[in-house]
Amino acid sequence: QVQLVESGGGLVQAGGSLRLSCAASGRTVNYATAWFRQAPGKEREFVATIKWSGVGTYYADSVKGRFAISRDNAKDTVYLQMNSLKPEDTGVYYCAARFGDGTYYLGQQYYDYWGQGTQVTVSS
């Protein structure tokens, strides 16, 4: 069992930056973490994922080069640094976790633990 809590969302202008945090408690070892987002009226989509080691990362094409996922396991926290934000980045951002993964997983069905989400709004 792992509990996840997102924070760091807010309102920013296009071109600005935000850093989201996902704090974990419970079984806070050997898990991979991913970020998903959901815009109003849209399907939830994969954003980025990171292995427990912090070395392996994978990004959706829509955010590659602008977003960076990282983690600090000593603090039980995963981050999503978002730069050059666009209005289309607006949505609720969720972090999710899974255990025992041997590769990258992009589908939400592979993740068993989810946070409650944090709102990101990018104005034009």
Side-chain angles (χ1 to χ4, degrees):
Q1 176 79 355
V2 60
Q3 295 80 45
L4 306 172
V5 179
E6 304 96 335
S7 63
L11 174 64
V12 298
Q13 296 185 38
S17 298
L18 281 175
R19 189 179 74 161
L20 306 183
S21 298
C22 176
S25 61
R27 183 184 168 186
T28 55
V29 293
N30 298 323
Y31 63 92
T33 306
W35 288 93
F36 292 81
R37 67 186 182 187
Q38 188 166 21
K42 301 293 182 66
E43 298 292 326
R44 186 178 299 175
E45 66 175 345
F46 169 82
V47 176
T49 188
I50 187 169
K51 298 291 182 69
W52 171 257
S53 68
V55 175
T57 59
Y58 192 90
Y59 298 90
D61 289 342
S62 59
V63 306
K64 190 173 184 179
R66 299 188 297 119
F67 291 11
I69 188 170
S70 62
R71 71 193 308 153
D72 185 345
N73 289 341
K75 297 181 178 179
D76 296 327
T77 302
V78 174
Y79 304 97
L80 184 68
Q81 179 66 47
M82 306 186 295
N83 300 320
S84 301
L85 283 163
K86 305 174 181 179
E88 49 263 46
D89 294 318
T90 293
V92 178
Y93 283 68
Y94 300 89
C95 63
R98 70 183 309 277
F99 297 92
D101 60 318
T103 186
Y104 301 108
Y105 292 91
L106 280 58
Q108 58 183 295
Q109 68 269 28
Y110 296 106
Y111 295 88
D112 298 315
Y113 306 98
W114 294 80
Q116 294 182 331
T118 185
Q119 176 71 45
V120 172
T121 303
V122 184
S123 62
S124 60

